[in-house]
Amino acid sequence: MKTLLIMGISATLLTSVSAFAQNDVADSFEPAEQRHEQERTVTLIVEHDNASDYPWTKVRVPSSQVDAKTNELLRDPSVISVERAPEISRPKPPTVDARASVMPMMASGSAVPTFNDPGFPDQRIYQNINGHDMRLLEAAERVDDANAMRIGVLDSGFSRIQDVTYETGYNFAGDAPIGPAFLLEDIAYCSDQEASAGSTLFYRHGTVVSAVATASANNYSGIAGVSQNATVVAGRVMDCSGYGQLDAIADGILWQIGAGVPSAPGAPVIDPVDVINISISSTAPECPSYLQSAVDAATQKGIPIVVAAGNDSYRADRGIAMCDGVITVAATTHDGDLASFTNTGPNVDIAATGETIRAVTVNDRLTYASGTSFASPIMAAVIANTQKRVDNASPADIIDALTRSGTPANNNATGFGLGGGIIDAMILMDEMGVPRDIVAAVNGLSGEREQYKQALIHPSAQAFLGSKNPCDMVEVDARTMPNADKSQAVSVFRVAKGTPLLPQNGNIIDSVSGQERFFTDAITTSEASAYDYGVAQCDIATGADCSQKDSIRGIDSESLIASTDCSI
């Protein structure tokens, strides 16, 4: 049976930049009425029954010819269905409480700024506001910023700014030729339109989203992004004015996960990104099959997709939030209230601050932004930071961990669906097995025993010790876990590199009861490139009281390197 699905639905890109202080930037836009008076190109998604890998093709026609072309396509016996791709478009800025625009930036009890970026003192996402703190900076200190991350951003309005490094980009929108030109200033249509108007007309949303997630810290410019040493892979899926069609998001996902894009064969195959952020929402009542297929492909490759819940003060039950396997983010205020504009409900997985976010926009100008559009990149960046240490976790693992990684919102959120609550990045890293401390063991011939190493490695001493080579001995010290259950044995374990550092994920290689400090030769330093090692003092059979906070410590493989004398 053939199906005709006409979905002429306007989707809303969630938020735009809102200015609340003098000299901040507010974007201006072409009126929607003016845009929709023009003849538009509509994309028809055609599903075939004779295609195996990717059964969808696209046909683009003027809006006045949609019905005729649809009927023509359905006469083809190989066509199963024809679906009109829903539109996506920029929204009006969400309504923000007046008190948020005048609230002092450096709130009482806030942390002392640690970066020299001019906007950093006003970045309340890094501060404890009335007892609410996402602990973003503390969590970031647990991972190595030398591990570069690549964050995919599907959006529009990308511009060059000092704070953001675009690794690459591609245009999937229809106002300019599909191809590598993705920055506003590099697309002739955008620059010509702005020049003729004599002012800034077009959307800067993608720039602001990218900055919130990845802005370089300590460069005396802009703000400090949540994930450092992170680049942006920009997929432009809307035109200069912030309009587009939902099928472009599916194309962008396929491109960012390193798959081929059937409808854009010229798009170069790239290395998969680490996480994808989509601050776009649609009023489409379900996740179209072609979009779910792209999400599933990302899931199979282990790439999480983070999406904004929307700004309609309603349920997050439209568009990409309806796709299985995405991480949907709602918004709260800095002091833990439910944001008045945010969507909520059972599809929401987690919440993050989304009101008066200090940000940076075109020409490196500081601004403020509100909306779930800006809560979402905070969450995407937190996940990217987690992946710097744990890169084998699946999107399902992350979604499961998020159910236990939040703190409750204030009473005004009671009865609304916020998933795990307001993200606490420290708890998420605990749940994902990122060690808080890496201090639990040292080579047996280092430190206070270094003075004995010459005697211990003497051939006579080694003959006496037999199979026990002092060069291979490692001292384990469980005193670094003062809050652990001291009735439990101290266990040394290993997991595959990049796997959450939890004893249940690997093998116990040694275990001692009744001692907090002992020697083991079970750690093979030559295998340190393949394994991560840890020490646990908890019930390893059930894992019930095993936590990064109290009873697990990581072992720094660099500290296990034997003395150079051992190789003589």
Side-chain angles (χ1 to χ4, degrees):
M1 178 179 178
K2 296 187 177 183
T3 305
L4 169 62
L5 299 174
I6 298 294
M7 302 176 70
I9 301 170
S10 175
T12 54
L13 203 163
L14 300 178
T15 66
S16 64
V17 180
S18 301
F20 296 102
Q22 189 175 8
N23 297 324
D24 287 334
V25 179
D27 291 333
S28 58
F29 308 108
E30 176 185 9
E33 296 80 6
Q34 178 181 338
R35 165 78 182 189
H36 284 273
E37 286 174 358
Q38 303 169 3
E39 176 81 354
R40 290 171 293 132
T41 298
V42 172
T43 300
L44 299 177
I45 309 298
V46 184
E47 184 177 6
H48 303 266
D49 66 359
N50 60 353
S52 55
D53 294 335
Y54 196 81
W56 298 279
T57 59
K58 296 182 183 181
V59 177
R60 291 186 169 89
V61 297
S63 55
S64 60
Q65 300 177 21
V66 168
D67 291 343
K69 189 62 178 179
T70 298
N71 291 331
E72 176 189 335
L73 290 167
L74 288 172
R75 286 194 290 269
D76 184 338
S78 71
V79 172
I80 298 174
S81 66
V82 178
E83 177 178 350
R84 178 173 175 169
E87 292 183 349
I88 52 178
S89 65
R90 56 167 175 75
K92 62 181 181 181
T95 301
V96 177
D97 292 341
R99 63 185 177 84
S101 64
V102 298
M103 187 174 180
M105 294 297 101
M106 287 300 293
S108 175
S110 299
V112 176
T114 57
F115 298 128
N116 60 32
D117 309 273
F120 180 75
D122 299 336
Q123 288 189 265
R124 286 183 283 166
I125 61 172
Y126 297 133
Q127 301 169 16
N128 185 318
I129 308 294
N130 297 331
H132 289 272
D133 189 350
M134 294 186 288
R135 297 200 287 178
L136 302 176
L137 293 179
E138 294 92 327
E141 291 176 355
R142 292 169 64 174
V143 296
D144 185 0
D145 276 337
N147 295 330
M149 303 304 292
R150 301 165 68 248
I151 298 179
V153 178
L154 296 180
D155 214 298
S156 186
F158 297 104
S159 288
R160 294 184 185 90
I161 60 172
Q162 184 174 338
D163 257 358
V164 173
T165 300
Y166 296 108
E167 178 184 311
T168 187
Y170 203 79
N171 172 42
F172 297 95
D175 63 330
I178 302 298
F182 68 96
L183 293 166
L184 281 177
E185 50 266 36
D186 291 341
I187 297 174
Y189 171 80
C190 298
S191 56
D192 289 348
Q193 290 291 310
E194 288 198 337
S196 64
S199 63
T200 299
L201 288 175
F202 298 122
Y203 212 37
R204 310 296 181 185
H205 190 268
T207 305
V208 181
V209 167
S210 299
V212 170
T214 71
S216 297
N218 274 339
N219 64 346
Y220 295 96
S221 176
I223 60 171
V226 176
S227 184
Q228 291 301 299
N229 193 17
T231 57
V232 172
V233 175
R236 184 175 182 268
V237 295
M238 290 177 293
D239 64 19
C240 304
S241 301
Y243 292 88
Q245 298 181 67
L246 195 58
D247 60 288
I249 294 179
D251 290 346
I253 291 173
L254 292 174
W255 176 66
Q256 290 186 338
I257 67 173
V261 184
S263 60
V269 176
I270 62 173
D271 291 333
V273 299
D274 297 295
V275 60
I276 296 173
N277 182 83
I278 306 176
S279 290
I280 299 171
S281 181
S282 167
T283 54
E286 60 185 13
C287 177
S289 56
Y290 57 86
L291 183 56
Q292 184 64 62
S293 175
V295 172
D296 291 344
T299 299
Q300 290 167 8
K301 288 199 170 190
I303 301 172
I305 297 177
V306 183
V307 306
N311 298 341
D312 306 309
S313 304
Y314 195 62
R315 292 188 300 273
D317 59 358
R318 295 290 186 270
I320 194 166
M322 296 293 287
C323 296
D324 294 335
V326 301
I327 298 168
T328 303
V329 185
T332 59
T333 66
H334 290 281
D335 53 2
D337 284 338
L338 185 73
S340 59
F341 52 79
T342 188
N343 289 353
T344 55
N347 288 328
V348 170
D349 296 288
I350 200 72
T353 302
E355 186 175 274
T356 56
I357 304 296
R358 196 56 158 157
V360 63
T361 186
V362 63
N363 296 327
D364 301 292
R365 288 175 290 181
L366 289 169
T367 188
Y368 290 100
S370 291
T372 55
S373 279
F374 308 104
S376 180
I378 290 174
M379 192 64 245
V382 168
I383 291 173
N385 285 342
T386 303
Q387 291 175 316
K388 290 179 179 180
R389 174 58 179 77
V390 178
D391 58 10
N392 288 339
S394 69
D397 293 333
I398 296 171
I399 292 172
D400 177 65
L402 287 173
T403 65
R404 301 179 297 277
S405 298
T407 58
N410 293 338
N411 290 337
N412 81 324
T414 302
F416 293 88
L418 289 182
I422 304 173
I423 184 64
D424 184 324
M426 288 288 281
I427 298 177
L428 176 62
M429 288 197 173
D430 289 344
E431 290 291 332
M432 295 302 297
V434 178
R436 289 199 178 203
D437 296 300
I438 307 180
V439 295
V442 294
N443 182 267
L445 294 183
S446 63
E448 62 193 52
R449 277 168 298 282
E450 187 173 2
Q451 58 184 314
Y452 305 122
K453 67 182 178 182
Q454 292 297 334
L456 287 170
I457 64 176
H458 190 277
S460 298
Q462 294 204 18
F464 176 77
L465 292 170
S467 62
K468 300 292 186 181
N469 186 342
C471 289
D472 296 331
M473 301 300 289
V474 172
E475 182 187 27
V476 176
D477 191 350
R479 293 176 301 176
T480 58
M481 299 179 285
N483 296 322
D485 181 356
K486 298 305 177 181
S487 67
Q488 298 287 349
V490 178
S491 300
V492 181
F493 66 98
R494 72 179 186 184
V495 300
K497 204 77 171 179
T499 299
L501 191 69
L502 299 167
Q504 57 266 37
N505 290 341
N507 305 109
I508 306 301
I509 58 177
D510 202 353
S511 187
V512 174
S513 298
Q515 298 182 52
E516 287 193 300
R517 195 177 184 188
F518 62 92
F519 287 92
T520 180
D521 62 353
I523 297 176
T524 305
T525 56
S526 61
E527 296 180 344
S529 61
Y531 295 99
D532 288 324
Y533 292 89
V535 177
Q537 190 170 24
C538 56
D539 185 351
I540 58 175
T542 65
D545 57 346
C546 297
S547 76
Q548 301 294 337
K549 181 179 179 182
D550 294 325
S551 55
I552 297 174
R553 294 292 181 266
I555 295 177
D556 182 5
S557 59
E558 294 294 326
S559 69
L560 305 180
I561 298 175
S563 167
T564 55
D565 296 324
C566 290
S567 60
I568 297 176

